[in-house]
Amino acid sequence: MTSISEALTVAVQRLHGLQDGDVRLEAQLLLAHTLERDRSWLYAWPEYELSGDQEQSYFKLLKRRARGVPIAYITGEREFWSLPFQVTADTLIPRPETELIVSTSLQLADKQQPVSLLDLGTGCGAIAIALASERPSWSITATDGSAGALAVAETNASRLGTSSIRFIQGNWFDPLEKNRKYHLIVSNPPYVAEKDTHLQRGDLRYEPPGALGSGSDGLHDLRQIIAGAPAWLHIEGWLLVEHGMDQGAAVRKLFRDAGFCEVSSKKDMEHRERMTLGRWR
C-alpha cells in the first residue's frame, strides 16, 4: 500500500521533466482529484494509504500529465475568479491574466445602470460568468463560433447560478441582431501568430488551435474586433481586449485608427502589457 506522502514523492519524480507549472502543486491537485478531496486534506492525512484502485487511477493521471496533457483537461476543471469552471478540449483554459478584463469592466461600469455587455469568443464562459456572478443585474450576451465551447459555457452558467446570460453561436459580431448596442464589449480572442513555435510547446499543444492562432502576426482577429466594435457600442461605451505581451503598441494603434479615445494598456501581475481598452467617442 502507498501512503499520500509516498505517492506525492513518486509523482514529483515522474513529472520532473515538464516545462510548465509547479510539479509538486500539480501532483497534489491530481491526487486530490483522484481521492475527491481538497489539497488541505492531503496535508492533514499524509499517512493515509491509497487503495489499489486509487493508486492505479492516480498513476494513470500522472502518466497523461507527464505526456504534457494540461492538468485542467485531465481534471476537467480550472478555477477563474474564484469560481470552478468546467473545461474540455473544446475550450481554451482560463488563465489568471484574463481576470484583468473582469476587474477593469467592474471598475468602468460600476456606477452605470443598467449595463449591457457583450463577451466575444466566450469559450468556457469565464469572463461572462465571472461578471454575471458579481453583477446579476447586468444584461450579458456571449458569442462563440464553436458549438462545443458554447455547450460548456452554458453548462458552467447553469452550474454556477448565472443562467441569465444569453449565449449565441457565431463568429464575433455576426450572430447579433442589428441595431443592438452595448455599454461594454470584452474579448479574449486568439492573438498568437500561426507559425509561432510556442504553439508546439507545453499546454498550448493540446488547446484548440482556433482559440490561439490568428494570422501571420497574431492580430487578425483583434483587427476585426476593434474595427467592428464601434457599430455595436453606445456612445461613451468601452472596448476591452486581451492581447500578447508584445502587442500593446500595435493594438493601441488599432484602437486609435478606429476612432477610440482614452486608449491605454494595462499590465498583468507579471508587469506585462496584457489588455488594451478604449472609449468610443
Side-chain angles (χ1 to χ4, degrees):
M1 301 289 281
T2 303
S3 70
I4 283 176
S5 178
E6 293 167 340
L8 290 174
T9 298
V10 172
V12 169
Q13 294 171 349
R14 294 192 180 185
L15 298 179
H16 182 69
L18 286 175
Q19 296 177 341
D20 300 326
D22 178 334
V23 294
R24 183 156 189 84
L25 172 61
E26 294 195 350
Q28 293 169 351
L29 290 171
L30 290 174
L31 185 52
H33 176 74
T34 301
L35 301 178
E36 298 182 345
R37 303 280 188 173
D38 56 35
R39 286 174 57 218
S40 62
W41 192 88
L42 304 182
Y43 288 108
W45 300 96
E47 302 306 319
Y48 174 88
E49 293 187 340
L50 280 62
S51 69
D53 287 344
Q54 289 171 333
E55 183 176 343
Q56 185 177 28
S57 296
Y58 182 48
F59 288 121
K60 282 183 179 178
L61 299 186
L62 287 174
K63 188 175 182 180
R64 292 181 65 197
R65 182 59 186 136
R67 290 201 307 267
V69 179
I71 194 166
Y73 290 157
I74 296 173
T75 64
E77 190 172 280
R78 172 60 62 90
E79 183 177 291
F80 179 86
W81 202 255
S82 298
L83 297 170
F85 282 86
Q86 183 183 102
V87 295
T88 72
D90 289 312
T91 67
L92 195 69
I93 299 168
R95 290 169 168 80
E97 53 265 32
T98 305
E99 293 186 356
L100 191 56
I101 289 181
V102 177
S103 59
T104 305
S105 297
L106 293 171
Q107 293 168 6
L108 290 173
D110 206 28
K111 296 180 180 179
Q112 287 184 239
Q113 289 296 335
V115 172
S116 58
L117 178 138
L118 172 64
D119 176 21
L120 297 171
T122 195
C124 70
I127 295 173
I129 292 169
L131 287 167
S133 73
E134 296 285 349
R135 299 293 183 268
S137 64
W138 286 13
S139 173
I140 297 177
T141 300
T143 70
D144 202 289
S146 165
L150 275 184
V152 175
E154 290 174 335
T155 297
N156 280 323
S158 178
R159 288 174 57 245
L160 297 170
T162 55
S163 54
S164 62
I165 299 170
R166 185 164 172 257
F167 292 100
I168 312 174
Q169 186 179 354
N171 291 321
W172 307 136
F173 303 102
D174 291 349
L176 301 175
E177 305 96 330
K178 291 181 179 179
N179 302 318
R180 186 75 180 264
K181 299 285 184 179
Y182 300 90
H183 299 100
L184 289 169
I185 298 177
V186 300
S187 184
N188 176 19
Y191 52 74
V192 182
E194 289 178 348
K195 293 186 179 181
D196 192 315
T197 56
H198 287 90
L199 293 174
Q200 306 305 318
R201 301 177 191 169
D203 288 2
L204 297 184
R205 293 172 295 164
Y206 292 86
E207 296 188 77
L212 294 166
S214 184
S216 60
D217 60 359
L219 295 171
H220 176 73
D221 291 290
L222 282 161
R223 288 190 185 95
Q224 291 186 58
I225 291 167
I226 295 167
W232 302 94
L233 278 168
H234 286 294
I235 298 298
E236 304 299 325
W238 291 89
L239 172 65
L240 295 79
V241 297
E242 184 173 323
H243 52 72
M245 62 183 179
D246 58 350
Q247 295 174 325
V251 174
R252 288 192 295 275
K253 185 177 187 303
L254 291 174
F255 268 75
R256 295 187 181 107
D257 289 348
F260 284 90
C261 64
E262 299 181 50
V263 176
S264 64
S265 297
K266 288 184 174 288
K267 295 181 179 180
D268 61 20
M269 291 183 291
E270 297 185 14
H271 306 290
R272 302 171 300 189
E273 287 188 337
R274 183 59 69 180
M275 186 199 77
T276 294
L277 66 158
R279 175 175 263 174
W280 181 238
R281 299 177 188 276

